[in-house]
């Protein structure tokens, strides 16, 4: 994940929101010369505790808030960039979360994500459909079968770049979109 964190968090600029920050593994990748401040949200109390310990690894001001992406505690058009890494597989209502990101992003702002997604192969995607009830149970609501890029486009983002990374049952995408 390190090169992918560098490619997403590392390229963020201005006032940045990170959704689903987890234990804060992206914090050290933000560039102090480009990022004015970071708002990081995470709904899970245990993850937040670890994330708090990682604040010191960052060279930028970070505010950590307990919140879900479906209900962001920020005004409209607040952020230059929004970053999400490995989050939308487990969000309860991804469409609502993506609409919230659209709302808080400034016009022309950048949304960068890395996600594992639905396979493009018909056999692999059927296997993903079969595995997903188990991964949801054992891995924090993680869906192996979500077509996240399609959802991003469906809520109205303009997809500027999309790179598909190989993986039969866990293919990943690196995506940059704008409002
Ligand atoms: C696999 S972890 C990834 C953490 C971190 N982004 C990273 O790259 O290391 C998924 C994270 O998404 C968070 N998450 C799940 N549902 C969420 C939601 N509705 N809103 C925001 N974050 C959510 C989880 O609590 C968890 O921290």
């Amino acid at each position: 994940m390190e090169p992918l964190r560098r490619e997403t968090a590392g390229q963020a600029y201005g006032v940045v929101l990170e959704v689903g920050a987890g234990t804060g593994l992206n914090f050290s990748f933000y560039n102090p010369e480009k990022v004015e401040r970071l708002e990081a949200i995470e709904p899970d109390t245990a993850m937040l505790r670890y994330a708090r310990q990682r604040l010191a690894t960052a060279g930028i001001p970070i505010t950590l808030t307990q919140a879900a992406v479906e209900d962001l505690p920020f005004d409209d058009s607040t952020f230059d960039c929004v970053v999400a890494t490995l989050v939308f597989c487990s969000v309860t209502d991804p469409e609502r979360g993506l609409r919230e990101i659209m709302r808080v992003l400034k016009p022309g702002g950048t949304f960068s994500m890395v996600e594992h997604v639905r396979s493009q192969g018909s056999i692999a995607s059927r296997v993903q459909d079969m595995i997903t009830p188990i991964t949801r149970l054992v891995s924090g609501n993680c869906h192996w079968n979500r077509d996240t890029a399609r959802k991003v486009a469906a809520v109205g983002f303009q997809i500027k770049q999309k790179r598909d990374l190989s993986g039969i049952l866990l293919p990943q995408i690196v995506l940059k979109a704008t409002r």
Side-chain angles (χ1 to χ4, degrees):
M1 272 300 286
E2 256 195 56
L4 300 179
R5 294 187 190 284
R6 203 163 289 121
E7 196 176 333
T8 46
Q11 289 182 13
Y13 54 88
V15 181
V16 181
L17 169 66
E18 181 175 339
V19 297
T23 61
L25 284 171
N26 285 329
F27 292 170
S28 61
F29 290 88
Y30 289 99
N31 182 343
E33 286 173 14
K34 294 201 287 189
V35 174
E36 191 181 319
R37 67 184 172 88
L38 175 71
E39 297 281 348
I41 64 115
E42 167 57 48
D44 185 87
T45 306
M47 294 277 190
L48 272 174
R49 203 173 315 126
Y50 288 111
R52 241 170 240 122
Q53 291 167 15
R54 281 223 169 83
L55 289 176
T57 65
I60 53 164
I62 301 179
T63 307
L64 257 180
T65 305
Q66 188 160 28
V69 67
E70 293 97 327
D71 196 10
L72 292 172
F74 305 108
D75 292 337
D76 297 357
S77 303
T78 299
F79 297 100
D80 298 293
C81 292
V82 178
V83 171
T85 58
L86 306 177
V87 174
F88 274 87
C89 54
S90 55
V91 167
T92 306
D93 186 343
E95 285 85 359
R96 183 169 160 188
L98 291 167
R99 282 197 301 273
E100 274 291 88
I101 289 175
M102 175 80 95
R103 179 182 69 74
V104 301
L105 200 55
K106 292 177 186 171
T110 303
F111 176 32
S112 294
M113 62 160 37
V114 177
E115 296 290 340
H116 66 83
V117 293
R118 188 172 187 82
S119 171
Q120 286 167 17
S122 62
I123 294 174
S125 59
R126 257 180 268 156
V127 174
Q128 287 177 317
D129 288 337
M130 289 190 285
I131 290 172
T132 290
I134 300 163
T135 60
R136 287 185 63 189
L137 273 179
V138 300
S139 186
N141 200 38
C142 181
H143 293 68
W144 280 26
N145 61 351
R146 277 196 176 153
D147 191 347
T148 299
R150 202 156 87 176
K151 292 183 199 299
V152 171
V155 302
F157 283 100
Q158 288 179 34
I159 295 183
K160 296 293 183 188
Q161 288 173 30
K162 178 176 165 280
R163 207 167 78 248
D164 293 292
L165 305 178
S166 60
I168 296 167
L169 287 180
L170 277 176
Q172 288 186 316
I173 53 164
V174 184
L175 185 146
K176 275 200 181 2
T178 57
R179 180 184 156 187

